[in-house]
Structure formats: structure tokens, C-alpha cells
Amino acid sequence: MSNSPKRTVKRKPSLLRRLAKGLYITLFILSLIVVAGYAALSIFAPKPVVDSQVTIAPREPDVSLSPDVTLAPGPEDTGGPAPLVLTRRDNVFTCLLLGVADMGGSDTIMLGVFDTGAKTASLISIPRDTVVYYNGKYRKINATYAGGAEAVAEAVGDLLGVPVDYWVSVNLKAFSSIVNQIGGVYFDVPVRMDYKDPYQDLVIDIQPGYQLLDGKKAEGVMRCRSCYANADIGRAATQRAFLVALAKQTITPSNATKVTSLINTFNKYVKSNMPLNNMVWFGTQAIGMDLDTALHAGSLEGKWVSPYWQLDDEAVLELVNSLGIYKEEVPARALHIVHP
């Protein structure tokens, strides 16, 4: 009888076990990638930090006040009106969008408000002829662009009593370039657009109706002001609608291969005080937003009293409160609306 030891036969793992092991390793690696990616995003594209409170200085004594506005008394030792301090809601950021033509001046002024927690956004048009009291004088708000984008941001913040976290200045030729790169934009042009300005080498000739716009026509849609009976007010509504259409038709899988050229266009035509890492962070927060339901658009209501667009105090105050920038109800004295 042999006493030799028995040889142990090593069983080959079953196919199911090998698949399970492979799946486990794959999930583990993916988890590491996700964790590493999140860590990298947190380091290189962190959430922007803004002041939690906003101090609004009282308006200058010689500025005309709205009939229903009274200033709160200031400290006894100064005898002047007290500044107003409001607390900002978390995850709500603001950005001023300026459309600039080659001839100079801000042709388009919009305030964007992005609630990254609720995944909602607002886009408010500010008529270029809106009257403001700036540097001791009554002016049209677009005239403040003589001091640069920062000056417009300051004027808008003072007018509406809101913080302007960032500004983005876009040469209107950017729209022409982007539209051509993505093969055109389908848009419902609301009115017949027929305008010529040899001084600016500008010719706009567009029929109304739903159509595919090329870059030149898209720029014309953004710029045509005299095409509307109510001038800048009508144009502002069309601009907001076109920006929504452009965003929806640009952010598609079919345009993924055009990212490099779109970035080059951005670098050529766009200026901003927003750091690149903040842009990346906001981009990640916008993923999954449904622009049909999450974007709210509006304009500052008022009436034309030559030579200015004078704001409706109550309507504008209601609009500012609807933006949800502050935790508190915004009082009338936070807005510096004037009536020359």
C-alpha cells in the first residue's frame, strides 16, 4: 500500500465567479476614478465664495426719491440714514451679461441669477436707456460702460440693490461665430427685420417666422432695435428667447466634437472677471437643467419719459424679491430708482 501524499486538484474558477470578480474590480476602479475626480474638482474647481451679507449704502440726499420711499434714520451721532444690511441665500449667484458692439458701448445688459441648489435661473433684461444716478449725474445706464464692465456692474448693483458677483462681456460677433460653428440655429423671428446702417456696415434683412438662422442673421436678430414699436423693450424679449434657443441647440451630443473651436471663440470674443475654475464649477452645476422649465426671463418694467426709460418702482421691487437672492424681504429703500 502506497503512503505517498494525495495530490490536491485545484479547481478552475467558474465562469460566473470570474465575471463577478471582474465586475467587482471594475466597480472598484470606477469608484476610485469618481472619488479622484470629485477630489480634483473640489481642489481645482471649488464652489465660489461670496460675502454672506450685503451692505447697501443710503442714496445721496440730492437724488430724487420715489414717492413711497422713506429713508430710515441713522445713528444719533451721525444724524444720517443708516446703511441697510441684507443676508444672502446660500447657493445663489449673480452674473451681469453685457453684449458689446464693435463701435463700443453696451448694446445689451442682462442680469443672470443662478440658484445652484434649486437648479433654476433667471435672466432679467435691463433696458439700455434706463435712467440711473451715477457719479453725481443722471445718465442712461448703458452710458456707464464708458467706465468699463465694472462700472456697469456697479450701476446695476446700486440700482437694484443686489450684489453682482461676476460680469461677462460678449462681443456680438460671438453669436455669429457660434451659430455658424453649430450649423445654424432654428428660431421663430417675431417681426420683419429691415435695417441698414452704413456707418456700422450693418445690414439686417430677415423675414418673420420659424427658420434656420445663419451667423449673420443671428447677429442681426440680436442687434435690431428699430424693428419694434417699443424699441429696446421688444428687442430685449427677442434676445432672451434667442439666447435660450442658442443654449439648447449648442449643448447637444452632436456638438461635442466642436468644443475646442467653441472655446477658441469664447477666448476671442468674451471677457470676464470670472476665474476659470469658477466657470468649470458653474458648468457642472448646470448639467441636467431643463431650460424649458428652469429658466425664468423678464425685464425691468417702466415707461418712456424722454430721454429715459423710467422704472416702475413697485413692479421692479416685486421682481427683485422674486429672484430669491436674499433671505429677507427686500425693502423699497434697497433700490436706488430715480425719477429726474
Side-chain angles (χ1 to χ4, degrees):
M1 188 174 190
S2 171
N3 293 324
S4 60
K6 293 183 178 179
R7 185 179 299 174
T8 302
V9 179
K10 195 172 184 180
R11 292 186 178 180
K12 192 174 182 179
S14 67
L15 177 61
L16 183 60
R17 176 175 286 187
R18 292 201 304 272
L19 287 174
K21 184 177 181 181
L23 180 61
Y24 174 80
I25 293 174
T26 301
L27 290 174
F28 179 72
I29 294 173
L30 287 176
S31 298
L32 287 178
I33 293 173
V34 170
V35 171
Y38 179 80
L41 184 63
S42 300
I43 295 172
F44 297 108
K47 177 182 176 180
V49 177
V50 296
D51 292 336
S52 60
Q53 290 188 320
V54 175
T55 300
I56 300 173
R59 70 184 74 212
E60 298 178 34
D62 58 335
V63 178
S64 62
L65 299 174
S66 306
D68 59 339
V69 173
T70 56
L71 298 179
E76 293 182 3
D77 57 339
T78 64
L84 178 66
V85 179
L86 298 174
T87 305
R88 295 184 61 161
R89 290 179 55 234
D90 294 334
N91 303 313
V92 179
F93 303 89
T94 63
C95 182
L96 188 69
L97 175 63
L98 304 174
V100 181
D102 281 341
M103 301 303 295
S106 181
D107 208 45
T108 300
I109 306 174
M110 296 184 182
L111 178 68
V113 181
F114 186 13
D115 186 335
T116 60
K119 299 289 186 182
T120 59
S122 298
L123 192 62
I124 307 302
S125 297
I126 302 172
R128 52 179 281 169
D129 294 329
T130 299
V131 60
V132 295
Y133 191 75
Y134 185 78
N135 281 349
K137 294 182 179 180
Y138 294 109
R139 310 171 188 266
K140 294 181 179 181
I141 196 166
N142 74 316
T144 63
Y145 189 77
E150 294 86 355
V152 186
E154 179 185 345
V156 170
D158 181 69
L159 174 69
L160 301 180
V162 300
V164 178
D165 300 321
Y166 306 102
W167 56 263
V168 176
S169 177
V170 185
N171 187 302
L172 292 176
K173 285 188 175 180
F175 296 104
S176 175
S177 178
I178 292 173
V179 168
N180 283 335
Q181 288 176 56
I182 65 174
V185 167
Y186 285 96
F187 184 67
D188 190 2
V189 179
V191 297
R192 173 76 170 99
M193 296 186 173
D194 185 10
Y195 177 78
K196 296 177 178 63
D197 186 346
Y199 181 66
Q200 298 187 59
D201 191 26
L202 177 63
V203 178
I204 301 174
D205 184 11
I206 308 171
Q207 296 293 333
Y210 188 75
Q211 58 194 284
L212 180 65
L213 301 176
D214 60 15
K216 183 178 180 180
K217 289 185 176 180
E219 184 179 350
V221 166
M222 289 293 289
R223 297 187 64 177
C224 195
R225 185 169 182 251
S226 62
C227 309
Y228 304 93
N230 53 357
D232 200 44
I233 306 304
R235 181 179 66 164
T238 298
Q239 287 175 335
R240 293 193 304 271
F242 178 79
L243 287 175
V244 173
L246 178 62
K248 290 172 66 176
Q249 295 176 51
T250 301
I251 307 173
T252 62
S254 61
N255 289 325
T257 58
K258 301 167 186 172
V259 170
T260 301
S261 62
L262 290 172
I263 290 176
N264 290 335
T265 299
F266 184 89
N267 290 333
K268 182 178 181 181
Y269 292 112
V270 179
K271 297 180 181 179
S272 178
N273 67 340
M274 185 185 299
L276 179 59
N277 58 352
N278 288 168
M279 292 182 186
V280 173
W281 188 85
F282 284 120
T284 62
Q285 300 306 300
I287 294 175
M289 283 185 64
D290 182 355
L291 295 181
D292 289 326
T293 58
L295 179 62
H296 309 282
S299 182
L300 300 187
E301 294 185 28
K303 63 181 179 180
W304 177 254
V305 181
S306 185
Y308 302 115
W309 179 257
Q310 294 199 25
L311 299 181
D312 180 319
D313 299 68
E314 292 185 3
V316 174
L317 178 61
E318 182 179 353
L319 176 62
V320 170
N321 272 301
S322 72
L323 297 176
I325 297 173
Y326 297 112
K327 293 182 178 179
E328 307 95 339
E329 185 80 6
V330 180
R333 71 186 183 100
L335 280 62
H336 291 180
I337 297 174
V338 294
H339 299 278

